[in-house]
Amino acid sequence: MQNMILVTGGAGFIGSNFILQRIQEQATSIVNLDKLTYAGNPHNLETVSSDSRYKFVQGDIGDRALMRQLLGTHHPCAIVHFAAESHVDRSIRGPEDFVRTNIDGTFALLEETRAYWSALSDEQRKSFRFVHVSTDEVYGSLGPDDPPFSESTPYAPNSPYAASKAASDHLVRAYHHTYGLPTLTTNCSNNYGRFQFPEKLIPLMILNARDGKALPVYGDGQNVRDWLYVEDHCAAIATVLRRGRLGDTYNIGGWNEKPNLEIVHMICDLVDEMAPRAGNSRRDLITFVKDRPGHDRRYAMDARKIERELGWRPKATFESGIRETVRWYLENEAWVRDVTSGSYRQWVATHYSG
Ligand code: NAD
Ligand code: DAU
Protein backbone atom coordinates (compact mmCIF):
# COMPACT_ATOMS: atom_id res chain seq x y z
CA MET A 1 0.00 0.00 0.00
CA GLN A 2 2.73 2.42 0.96
CA ASN A 3 3.65 4.66 -1.99
CA MET A 4 2.03 2.38 -4.57
CA ILE A 5 0.25 4.54 -7.17
CA LEU A 6 -2.18 3.20 -9.74
CA VAL A 7 -1.87 5.35 -12.86
CA THR A 8 -4.50 5.07 -15.60
CA GLY A 9 -3.56 6.04 -19.15
CA GLY A 10 0.13 6.06 -18.28
CA ALA A 11 1.26 5.04 -21.76
CA GLY A 12 -0.05 8.31 -23.22
CA PHE A 13 1.69 11.66 -23.49
CA ILE A 14 1.25 13.17 -20.02
CA GLY A 15 0.89 9.87 -18.14
CA SER A 16 4.22 8.52 -19.37
CA ASN A 17 6.01 11.77 -18.50
CA PHE A 18 4.38 11.59 -15.05
CA ILE A 19 5.52 8.00 -14.47
CA LEU A 20 9.10 8.73 -15.55
CA GLN A 21 9.18 11.72 -13.21
CA ARG A 22 7.63 9.93 -10.19
CA ILE A 23 9.65 6.72 -10.46
CA GLN A 24 12.75 8.79 -9.77
CA GLU A 25 11.57 8.88 -6.16
CA GLN A 26 13.06 5.72 -4.69
CA ALA A 27 10.07 4.98 -2.43
CA THR A 28 7.44 5.08 -5.21
CA SER A 29 6.00 2.06 -7.05
CA ILE A 30 3.64 2.39 -9.98
CA VAL A 31 1.10 0.16 -11.70
CA ASN A 32 0.19 1.56 -15.10
CA LEU A 33 -3.17 0.48 -16.49
CA ASP A 34 -3.57 1.48 -20.12
CA LYS A 35 -5.77 0.18 -22.93
CA LEU A 36 -3.12 1.05 -25.54
CA THR A 37 -5.40 2.86 -27.94
CA TYR A 38 -3.71 4.53 -30.92
CA ALA A 39 -2.46 7.17 -28.42
CA GLY A 40 -0.83 4.76 -25.98
CA ASN A 41 2.77 3.80 -26.54
CA PRO A 42 4.65 1.46 -24.18
CA HIS A 43 7.96 2.50 -25.80
CA ASN A 44 7.65 5.77 -23.87
CA LEU A 45 8.36 3.73 -20.74
CA GLU A 46 11.15 1.51 -22.04
CA THR A 47 13.66 2.94 -19.56
CA VAL A 48 11.60 1.73 -16.58
CA SER A 49 10.09 -1.44 -18.05
CA SER A 50 12.45 -3.74 -16.13
CA ASP A 51 12.35 -1.76 -12.88
CA SER A 52 10.78 -3.88 -10.12
CA ARG A 53 8.87 -0.77 -8.94
CA TYR A 54 7.02 -0.48 -12.26
CA LYS A 55 4.35 -2.77 -13.68
CA PHE A 56 2.36 -2.38 -16.90
CA VAL A 57 -1.11 -3.86 -17.33
CA GLN A 58 -2.99 -3.59 -20.60
CA GLY A 59 -6.71 -3.06 -19.99
CA ASP A 60 -9.72 -0.77 -20.03
CA ILE A 61 -10.77 1.44 -17.10
CA GLY A 62 -14.33 0.42 -17.97
CA ASP A 63 -13.56 -3.25 -17.21
CA ARG A 64 -14.80 -3.39 -13.65
CA ALA A 65 -13.65 -6.95 -12.95
CA LEU A 66 -10.13 -6.01 -14.00
CA MET A 67 -10.17 -2.83 -11.91
CA ARG A 68 -11.40 -4.78 -8.87
CA GLN A 69 -8.66 -7.34 -9.31
CA LEU A 70 -5.94 -4.70 -9.77
CA LEU A 71 -7.00 -2.75 -6.70
CA GLY A 72 -7.27 -5.93 -4.63
CA THR A 73 -3.87 -7.20 -5.74
CA HIS A 74 -1.76 -4.05 -5.61
CA HIS A 75 -3.43 -2.08 -2.76
CA PRO A 76 -2.60 1.39 -4.09
CA CYS A 77 -2.54 4.36 -1.73
CA ALA A 78 -3.48 6.64 -4.63
CA ILE A 79 -4.96 6.62 -8.11
CA VAL A 80 -3.91 9.21 -10.68
CA HIS A 81 -6.45 9.11 -13.50
CA PHE A 82 -5.15 10.24 -16.91
CA ALA A 83 -6.89 7.69 -19.17
CA ALA A 84 -9.08 9.45 -21.71
CA GLU A 85 -9.78 10.04 -25.35
CA SER A 86 -8.05 13.41 -25.66
CA HIS A 87 -8.19 14.82 -29.20
CA VAL A 88 -10.86 17.45 -29.90
CA ASP A 89 -10.91 16.85 -33.68
CA ARG A 90 -11.51 13.12 -33.19
CA SER A 91 -14.34 13.90 -30.76
CA ILE A 92 -16.00 15.97 -33.46
CA ARG A 93 -15.72 13.18 -36.03
CA GLY A 94 -16.71 10.37 -33.62
CA PRO A 95 -17.86 11.28 -30.10
CA GLU A 96 -18.87 7.79 -29.00
CA ASP A 97 -15.47 6.63 -27.77
CA PHE A 98 -15.24 9.85 -25.74
CA VAL A 99 -18.49 9.12 -23.94
CA ARG A 100 -17.47 5.51 -23.41
CA THR A 101 -14.02 6.16 -21.92
CA ASN A 102 -14.24 9.63 -20.45
CA ILE A 103 -17.70 9.32 -18.88
CA ASP A 104 -18.59 5.61 -18.57
CA GLY A 105 -14.97 4.64 -17.94
CA THR A 106 -14.50 7.24 -15.22
CA PHE A 107 -17.79 6.16 -13.64
CA ALA A 108 -16.67 2.50 -13.59
CA LEU A 109 -13.32 3.50 -12.11
CA LEU A 110 -15.01 5.61 -9.42
CA GLU A 111 -17.38 2.79 -8.47
CA GLU A 112 -14.55 0.26 -8.10
CA THR A 113 -12.43 2.80 -6.23
CA ARG A 114 -15.28 3.53 -3.85
CA ALA A 115 -15.73 -0.17 -3.08
CA TYR A 116 -11.97 -0.62 -2.54
CA TRP A 117 -11.62 2.53 -0.43
CA SER A 118 -14.65 1.69 1.73
CA ALA A 119 -13.03 -1.58 2.78
CA LEU A 120 -9.73 0.01 3.89
CA SER A 121 -8.82 0.61 7.52
CA ASP A 122 -9.65 4.07 8.98
CA GLU A 123 -6.06 5.16 8.68
CA GLN A 124 -5.70 3.95 5.10
CA ARG A 125 -8.99 5.59 4.11
CA LYS A 126 -7.73 8.89 5.45
CA SER A 127 -4.50 8.85 3.50
CA PHE A 128 -5.95 7.49 0.21
CA ARG A 129 -6.15 9.94 -2.75
CA PHE A 130 -7.93 9.90 -6.13
CA VAL A 131 -6.50 12.55 -8.50
CA HIS A 132 -8.58 13.24 -11.59
CA VAL A 133 -6.60 14.90 -14.40
CA SER A 134 -8.81 17.25 -16.37
CA THR A 135 -8.68 20.19 -18.72
CA ASP A 136 -9.33 23.93 -19.06
CA GLU A 137 -11.65 23.16 -21.99
CA VAL A 138 -14.51 22.46 -19.55
CA TYR A 139 -14.80 26.24 -19.03
CA GLY A 140 -15.56 27.03 -22.69
CA SER A 141 -14.12 29.95 -24.61
CA LEU A 142 -12.89 33.41 -23.53
CA GLY A 143 -13.26 36.75 -25.29
CA PRO A 144 -10.10 38.82 -25.89
CA ASP A 145 -10.52 40.93 -22.73
CA ASP A 146 -12.04 38.34 -20.39
CA PRO A 147 -10.11 37.42 -17.24
CA PRO A 148 -8.57 33.92 -17.28
CA PHE A 149 -10.55 30.90 -16.05
CA SER A 150 -10.55 30.49 -12.27
CA GLU A 151 -11.75 27.52 -10.21
CA SER A 152 -15.14 29.26 -9.84
CA THR A 153 -15.70 29.93 -13.56
CA PRO A 154 -18.96 28.16 -14.57
CA TYR A 155 -18.57 25.11 -16.78
CA ALA A 156 -19.48 25.70 -20.46
CA PRO A 157 -17.92 22.90 -22.53
CA ASN A 158 -18.20 23.34 -26.30
CA SER A 159 -16.81 20.18 -27.96
CA PRO A 160 -17.85 16.57 -27.34
CA TYR A 161 -14.38 16.06 -25.81
CA ALA A 162 -14.82 19.00 -23.42
CA ALA A 163 -18.37 17.88 -22.55
CA SER A 164 -17.17 14.36 -21.75
CA LYS A 165 -14.39 15.71 -19.51
CA ALA A 166 -16.86 18.08 -17.82
CA ALA A 167 -19.16 15.13 -17.11
CA SER A 168 -16.27 13.18 -15.59
CA ASP A 169 -15.32 16.18 -13.42
CA HIS A 170 -18.91 16.33 -12.12
CA LEU A 171 -18.89 12.62 -11.28
CA VAL A 172 -15.63 13.01 -9.35
CA ARG A 173 -17.05 15.98 -7.46
CA ALA A 174 -20.21 14.01 -6.61
CA TYR A 175 -18.22 11.03 -5.31
CA HIS A 176 -16.44 13.33 -2.88
CA HIS A 177 -19.58 15.19 -1.84
CA THR A 178 -21.83 12.14 -1.50
CA TYR A 179 -19.50 9.33 -0.43
CA GLY A 180 -16.56 11.25 1.00
CA LEU A 181 -14.14 9.72 -1.51
CA PRO A 182 -10.88 11.70 -1.10
CA THR A 183 -10.74 13.20 -4.58
CA LEU A 184 -8.76 16.06 -6.11
CA THR A 185 -9.30 17.46 -9.61
CA THR A 186 -6.76 19.32 -11.71
CA ASN A 187 -7.80 21.39 -14.75
CA CYS A 188 -4.83 22.18 -16.93
CA SER A 189 -4.17 24.18 -20.07
CA ASN A 190 -2.46 22.92 -23.27
CA ASN A 191 0.63 20.78 -22.68
CA TYR A 192 3.60 20.30 -24.96
CA GLY A 193 6.78 18.22 -24.76
CA ARG A 194 8.18 14.78 -25.62
CA PHE A 195 5.87 11.79 -26.36
CA GLN A 196 2.89 13.87 -27.56
CA PHE A 197 1.06 12.06 -30.34
CA PRO A 198 1.58 14.07 -33.56
CA GLU A 199 -2.12 14.66 -34.18
CA LYS A 200 -1.83 17.66 -31.81
CA LEU A 201 -0.72 21.10 -33.00
CA ILE A 202 2.90 21.29 -31.82
CA PRO A 203 4.26 17.83 -32.81
CA LEU A 204 2.23 17.87 -36.04
CA MET A 205 3.82 21.17 -37.06
CA ILE A 206 7.34 20.06 -36.07
CA LEU A 207 7.16 16.87 -38.14
CA ASN A 208 5.45 18.45 -41.15
CA ALA A 209 8.01 21.29 -41.10
CA ARG A 210 10.85 18.76 -40.89
CA ASP A 211 9.44 16.89 -43.89
CA GLY A 212 8.63 19.99 -45.98
CA LYS A 213 4.87 19.26 -45.83
CA ALA A 214 2.02 21.80 -45.61
CA LEU A 215 1.43 23.28 -42.13
CA PRO A 216 -2.38 23.29 -41.74
CA VAL A 217 -3.46 26.26 -39.60
CA TYR A 218 -7.19 26.31 -38.80
CA GLY A 219 -9.18 29.48 -39.54
CA ASP A 220 -7.18 32.70 -39.17
CA GLY A 221 -4.58 31.20 -36.81
CA GLN A 222 -5.50 33.71 -34.08
CA ASN A 223 -7.04 31.22 -31.62
CA VAL A 224 -5.17 31.51 -28.34
CA ARG A 225 -3.99 28.69 -26.09
CA ASP A 226 -2.10 28.88 -22.76
CA TRP A 227 0.88 26.52 -23.15
CA LEU A 228 2.55 24.61 -20.32
CA TYR A 229 5.59 22.34 -20.52
CA VAL A 230 4.53 18.78 -19.68
CA GLU A 231 7.20 18.38 -16.95
CA ASP A 232 5.67 21.34 -15.11
CA HIS A 233 2.18 19.84 -15.40
CA CYS A 234 3.44 16.52 -13.97
CA ALA A 235 5.10 18.33 -11.07
CA ALA A 236 1.83 20.18 -10.40
CA ILE A 237 -0.13 16.89 -10.29
CA ALA A 238 2.42 15.44 -7.85
CA THR A 239 2.06 18.55 -5.69
CA VAL A 240 -1.74 18.27 -5.66
CA LEU A 241 -1.45 14.56 -4.81
CA ARG A 242 0.81 15.37 -1.86
CA ARG A 243 -0.70 18.54 -0.50
CA GLY A 244 -4.04 19.30 -2.21
CA ARG A 245 -7.14 19.97 -0.13
CA LEU A 246 -9.60 17.07 -0.42
CA GLY A 247 -12.55 17.69 -2.73
CA ASP A 248 -10.91 20.77 -4.25
CA THR A 249 -10.08 21.58 -7.85
CA TYR A 250 -6.86 23.27 -8.96
CA ASN A 251 -6.35 25.21 -12.19
CA ILE A 252 -2.90 24.73 -13.74
CA GLY A 253 -1.44 26.87 -16.50
CA GLY A 254 1.73 28.43 -17.79
CA TRP A 255 0.76 32.14 -17.87
CA ASN A 256 1.76 31.74 -21.48
CA GLU A 257 -0.99 32.71 -23.90
CA LYS A 258 -0.07 32.62 -27.57
CA PRO A 259 -2.01 32.68 -30.84
CA ASN A 260 -1.53 29.50 -32.89
CA LEU A 261 0.17 31.33 -35.74
CA GLU A 262 2.88 32.63 -33.41
CA ILE A 263 3.53 29.07 -32.21
CA VAL A 264 3.81 27.82 -35.79
CA HIS A 265 6.21 30.64 -36.69
CA MET A 266 8.44 29.76 -33.73
CA ILE A 267 8.44 26.10 -34.73
CA CYS A 268 9.34 26.94 -38.35
CA ASP A 269 12.26 29.07 -37.20
CA LEU A 270 13.56 26.40 -34.80
CA VAL A 271 13.30 23.66 -37.43
CA ASP A 272 15.10 25.92 -39.93
CA GLU A 273 17.87 26.38 -37.34
CA MET A 274 18.18 22.73 -36.23
CA ALA A 275 17.52 20.98 -39.55
CA PRO A 276 18.61 23.52 -42.17
CA ARG A 277 17.67 22.92 -45.78
CA ALA A 278 18.37 24.82 -48.96
CA GLY A 279 15.68 27.22 -50.17
CA ASN A 280 12.87 29.00 -48.41
CA SER A 281 12.00 29.25 -44.73
CA ARG A 282 9.58 26.64 -43.38
CA ARG A 283 7.16 29.56 -42.79
CA ASP A 284 6.33 29.28 -46.50
CA LEU A 285 4.69 25.92 -45.79
CA ILE A 286 1.93 27.52 -43.69
CA THR A 287 -1.48 26.83 -45.24
CA PHE A 288 -4.71 28.23 -43.81
CA VAL A 289 -7.36 25.51 -43.84
CA LYS A 290 -11.05 25.22 -42.95
CA ASP A 291 -11.69 26.00 -39.29
CA ARG A 292 -12.50 23.38 -36.63
CA PRO A 293 -16.30 23.39 -36.05
CA GLY A 294 -17.13 25.24 -32.81
CA HIS A 295 -13.44 26.17 -32.41
CA ASP A 296 -12.90 27.79 -28.99
CA ARG A 297 -11.28 31.18 -29.51
CA ARG A 298 -9.22 31.62 -26.38
CA TYR A 299 -8.19 29.67 -23.28
CA ALA A 300 -6.24 31.16 -20.37
CA MET A 301 -5.75 29.81 -16.87
CA ASP A 302 -5.61 31.69 -13.60
CA ALA A 303 -3.21 29.42 -11.70
CA ARG A 304 -2.95 31.61 -8.59
CA LYS A 305 -4.69 29.12 -6.29
CA ILE A 306 -2.18 26.29 -6.76
CA GLU A 307 0.66 28.81 -6.58
CA ARG A 308 -0.61 30.45 -3.40
CA GLU A 309 -1.87 27.40 -1.53
CA LEU A 310 0.52 24.66 -2.66
CA GLY A 311 3.60 26.62 -3.75
CA TRP A 312 3.74 25.17 -7.28
CA ARG A 313 5.08 27.31 -10.12
CA PRO A 314 6.06 26.44 -13.70
CA LYS A 315 9.84 26.16 -14.11
CA ALA A 316 10.28 26.09 -17.89
CA THR A 317 9.96 29.18 -20.03
CA PHE A 318 8.17 28.71 -23.33
CA GLU A 319 11.39 29.50 -25.18
CA SER A 320 13.34 26.77 -23.36
CA GLY A 321 10.51 24.22 -23.48
CA ILE A 322 9.69 24.59 -27.16
CA ARG A 323 13.39 24.43 -28.12
CA GLU A 324 13.80 21.22 -26.11
CA THR A 325 10.62 19.79 -27.67
CA VAL A 326 11.62 20.54 -31.26
CA ARG A 327 15.04 19.02 -30.59
CA TRP A 328 13.45 15.88 -29.08
CA TYR A 329 11.21 15.24 -32.11
CA LEU A 330 14.09 15.80 -34.53
CA GLU A 331 16.40 13.47 -32.60
CA ASN A 332 13.94 10.62 -31.95
CA GLU A 333 13.38 9.34 -35.44
CA ALA A 334 12.59 5.74 -34.38
CA TRP A 335 9.83 6.88 -31.98
CA VAL A 336 8.39 9.15 -34.67
CA ARG A 337 8.49 6.39 -37.30
CA ASP A 338 6.75 4.00 -34.94
CA VAL A 339 3.82 6.31 -34.14
CA THR A 340 3.35 7.77 -37.62
CA SER A 341 2.84 4.46 -39.40
CA GLY A 342 -0.51 2.78 -40.07
CA SER A 343 -3.56 4.38 -38.51
CA TYR A 344 -1.86 7.75 -38.09
CA ARG A 345 -1.47 8.12 -41.85
CA GLN A 346 -5.10 7.23 -42.28
CA TRP A 347 -6.14 9.91 -39.75
CA VAL A 348 -4.05 12.58 -41.48
CA ALA A 349 -5.35 11.58 -44.91
CA THR A 350 -8.99 11.67 -43.79
CA HIS A 351 -8.84 14.72 -41.57
CA TYR A 352 -6.84 17.04 -43.80
CA SER A 353 -8.10 15.82 -47.16
CA GLY A 354 -10.53 18.70 -47.85
P1 NAD B 1 -3.20 10.84 -24.66
O1 NAD B 1 -4.30 10.73 -25.66
O2 NAD B 1 -1.82 11.08 -25.12
O3 NAD B 1 -3.16 9.53 -23.76
C1 NAD B 1 -4.32 8.91 -23.27
C2 NAD B 1 -3.93 7.52 -22.78
O4 NAD B 1 -5.11 6.90 -22.23
C3 NAD B 1 -3.41 6.60 -23.88
O5 NAD B 1 -2.25 5.92 -23.44
C4 NAD B 1 -4.56 5.62 -24.10
O6 NAD B 1 -4.13 4.35 -24.55
C5 NAD B 1 -5.19 5.57 -22.72
N1 NAD B 1 -6.60 5.17 -22.76
C6 NAD B 1 -7.58 5.65 -23.57
N2 NAD B 1 -8.74 5.04 -23.30
C7 NAD B 1 -8.51 4.18 -22.28
C8 NAD B 1 -9.32 3.28 -21.53
N3 NAD B 1 -10.63 3.13 -21.81
N4 NAD B 1 -8.76 2.55 -20.54
C9 NAD B 1 -7.43 2.67 -20.27
N5 NAD B 1 -6.61 3.49 -20.94
C10 NAD B 1 -7.14 4.26 -21.93
O7 NAD B 1 -3.68 11.98 -23.64
P2 NAD B 1 -2.82 13.06 -22.85
O8 NAD B 1 -2.63 14.24 -23.71
O9 NAD B 1 -1.67 12.39 -22.21
O10 NAD B 1 -3.89 13.46 -21.72
C11 NAD B 1 -3.95 12.73 -20.50
C12 NAD B 1 -5.06 13.32 -19.65
O11 NAD B 1 -4.79 14.69 -19.41
C13 NAD B 1 -6.44 13.27 -20.31
O12 NAD B 1 -7.38 12.95 -19.32
C14 NAD B 1 -6.64 14.68 -20.83
O13 NAD B 1 -8.00 15.01 -20.85
C15 NAD B 1 -5.89 15.50 -19.80
N6 NAD B 1 -5.32 16.78 -20.28
C16 NAD B 1 -4.55 16.82 -21.41
C17 NAD B 1 -3.98 18.04 -21.80
C18 NAD B 1 -3.09 18.14 -23.02
O14 NAD B 1 -2.74 19.26 -23.40
N7 NAD B 1 -2.69 17.06 -23.65
C19 NAD B 1 -4.21 19.19 -21.04
C20 NAD B 1 -5.01 19.10 -19.90
C21 NAD B 1 -5.56 17.88 -19.51
O1 DAU C 1 -6.53 22.95 -23.35
C1 DAU C 1 -6.21 21.65 -22.97
C2 DAU C 1 -6.47 20.73 -24.12
O2 DAU C 1 -5.45 20.98 -25.09
C3 DAU C 1 -6.47 19.25 -23.74
O3 DAU C 1 -7.52 19.02 -22.85
C4 DAU C 1 -6.63 18.37 -24.98
O4 DAU C 1 -6.53 17.01 -24.63
C5 DAU C 1 -5.52 18.73 -25.95
O5 DAU C 1 -5.69 17.99 -27.14
C6 DAU C 1 -5.53 20.22 -26.27
O6 DAU C 1 -6.69 20.61 -27.04
P1 DAU C 1 -6.59 21.66 -28.25
O7 DAU C 1 -7.74 21.44 -29.15
O8 DAU C 1 -6.36 23.04 -27.74
O9 DAU C 1 -5.18 21.14 -28.90
P2 DAU C 1 -4.73 20.89 -30.40
O10 DAU C 1 -3.27 20.62 -30.35
O11 DAU C 1 -5.61 19.92 -31.11
O12 DAU C 1 -4.95 22.32 -31.05
C7 DAU C 1 -4.31 23.48 -30.53
C8 DAU C 1 -4.76 24.66 -31.36
O13 DAU C 1 -4.22 24.52 -32.69
C9 DAU C 1 -6.27 24.74 -31.55
O14 DAU C 1 -6.66 26.11 -31.55
C10 DAU C 1 -6.52 24.12 -32.92
C11 DAU C 1 -5.25 24.48 -33.69
N1 DAU C 1 -4.83 23.50 -34.72
C12 DAU C 1 -4.72 22.20 -34.37
C13 DAU C 1 -4.33 21.25 -35.31
C14 DAU C 1 -4.24 19.79 -34.94
C15 DAU C 1 -4.54 23.93 -36.00
O15 DAU C 1 -4.62 25.14 -36.31
N2 DAU C 1 -4.16 22.99 -36.94
C16 DAU C 1 -4.07 21.67 -36.64
O16 DAU C 1 -3.75 20.86 -37.56
Side-chain angles (χ1 to χ4, degrees):
M1 171 102 188
Q2 217 184 3
N3 290 323
M4 155 63 73
I5 304 175
L6 173 64
V7 171
T8 72
F13 163 48
I14 305 174
S16 53
N17 277 289
F18 179 81
I19 290 173
L20 293 174
Q21 200 180 79
R22 293 336 310 154
I23 208 88
Q24 283 172 24
E25 280 179 353
Q26 278 310 317
T28 300
S29 308
I30 290 176
V31 173
N32 174 15
L33 170 79
D34 196 296
K35 187 177 175 184
L36 295 185
T37 67
Y38 75 93
N41 186 350
H43 293 312
N44 299 353
L45 293 151
E46 247 157 20
T47 53
V48 293
S49 58
S50 52
D51 191 317
S52 59
R53 294 177 297 120
Y54 172 74
K55 182 174 168 60
F56 176 71
V57 178
Q58 183 170 3
D60 193 321
I61 51 166
D63 180 344
R64 290 186 56 170
L66 173 65
M67 292 315 308
R68 200 169 311 143
Q69 184 235 317
L70 276 181
L71 292 167
T73 309
H74 296 286
H75 302 289
C77 62
I79 296 178
V80 183
H81 176 35
F82 293 95
E85 290 292 338
S86 71
H87 191 33
V88 174
D89 292 326
R90 288 188 194 250
S91 82
I92 294 167
R93 286 178 180 273
E96 202 169 334
D97 284 348
F98 289 72
V99 171
R100 194 172 302 125
T101 285
N102 301 1
I103 305 178
D104 297 346
T106 300
F107 167 70
L109 179 62
L110 283 167
E111 273 294 89
E112 288 308 321
T113 305
R114 179 164 76 93
Y116 165 75
W117 173 76
S118 302
L120 295 175
S121 68
D122 282 356
E123 201 184 319
Q124 289 170 332
R125 262 209 308 279
K126 257 191 220 138
S127 60
F128 184 81
R129 298 288 180 269
F130 182 100
V131 178
H132 175 57
V133 180
S134 192
T135 172
D136 59 359
E137 304 210 5
V138 297
Y139 297 121
S141 185
L142 293 168
D145 301 320
D146 289 339
F149 301 127
S150 76
E151 287 80 0
S152 56
T153 302
Y155 272 32
N158 288 322
S159 71
Y161 162 70
S164 68
K165 290 297 292 188
S168 67
D169 293 8
H170 291 325
L171 282 170
V172 171
R173 176 190 156 90
Y175 272 64
H176 175 72
H177 193 79
T178 305
Y179 305 114
L181 193 70
T183 65
L184 298 141
T185 296
T186 58
N187 294 88
C188 187
S189 62
N190 286 63
N191 284 217
Y192 68 98
R194 66 177 172 172
F195 304 139
Q196 188 168 32
F197 193 74
E199 62 189 352
K200 307 280 168 66
L201 179 77
I202 287 185
L204 177 88
M205 294 296 168
I206 296 171
L207 297 180
N208 280 15
R210 179 196 73 171
D211 297 340
K213 293 183 181 160
L215 306 178
V217 173
Y218 297 162
D220 62 3
Q222 293 308 312
N223 298 68
V224 171
R225 296 292 182 265
D226 175 354
W227 294 95
L228 180 70
Y229 196 45
V230 66
E231 295 277 345
D232 281 323
H233 184 194
C234 293
I237 294 167
T239 304
V240 169
L241 172 61
R242 262 196 309 270
R243 293 202 290 276
R245 200 164 11 157
L246 294 187
D248 268 20
T249 67
Y250 293 90
N251 282 2
I252 305 169
W255 301 106
N256 181 46
E257 287 182 59
K258 292 205 184 303
N260 294 335
L261 195 57
E262 187 179 329
I263 299 283
V264 178
H265 282 158
M266 288 177 83
I267 291 171
C268 288
D269 297 348
L270 284 166
V271 176
D272 281 343
E273 178 195 317
M274 293 182 203
R277 60 167 196 175
N280 299 340
S281 149
R282 261 59 171 219
R283 289 190 185 208
D284 290 351
L285 299 167
I286 292 171
T287 312
F288 291 93
V289 299
K290 192 164 163 282
D291 211 350
R292 170 185 281 175
H295 196 175
D296 285 338
R297 192 63 174 170
R298 175 178 163 237
Y299 302 145
M301 278 308 227
D302 178 343
R304 280 177 299 178
K305 178 179 172 185
I306 186 172
E307 294 183 355
R308 189 179 58 243
E309 293 187 8
L310 306 184
W312 170 87
R313 262 185 195 75
K315 286 199 176 120
T317 63
F318 189 68
E319 288 64 30
S320 66
I322 191 72
R323 177 171 281 278
E324 198 44 51
T325 303
V326 171
R327 192 193 319 280
W328 189 86
Y329 279 91
L330 295 180
E331 286 178 355
N332 285 276
E333 174 55 29
W335 185 93
V336 169
R337 211 176 321 113
D338 190 43
V339 303
T340 52
S341 60
S343 68
Y344 176 73
R345 287 198 195 148
Q346 209 179 333
W347 163 256
V348 170
T350 313
H351 184 61
Y352 295 99
S353 63

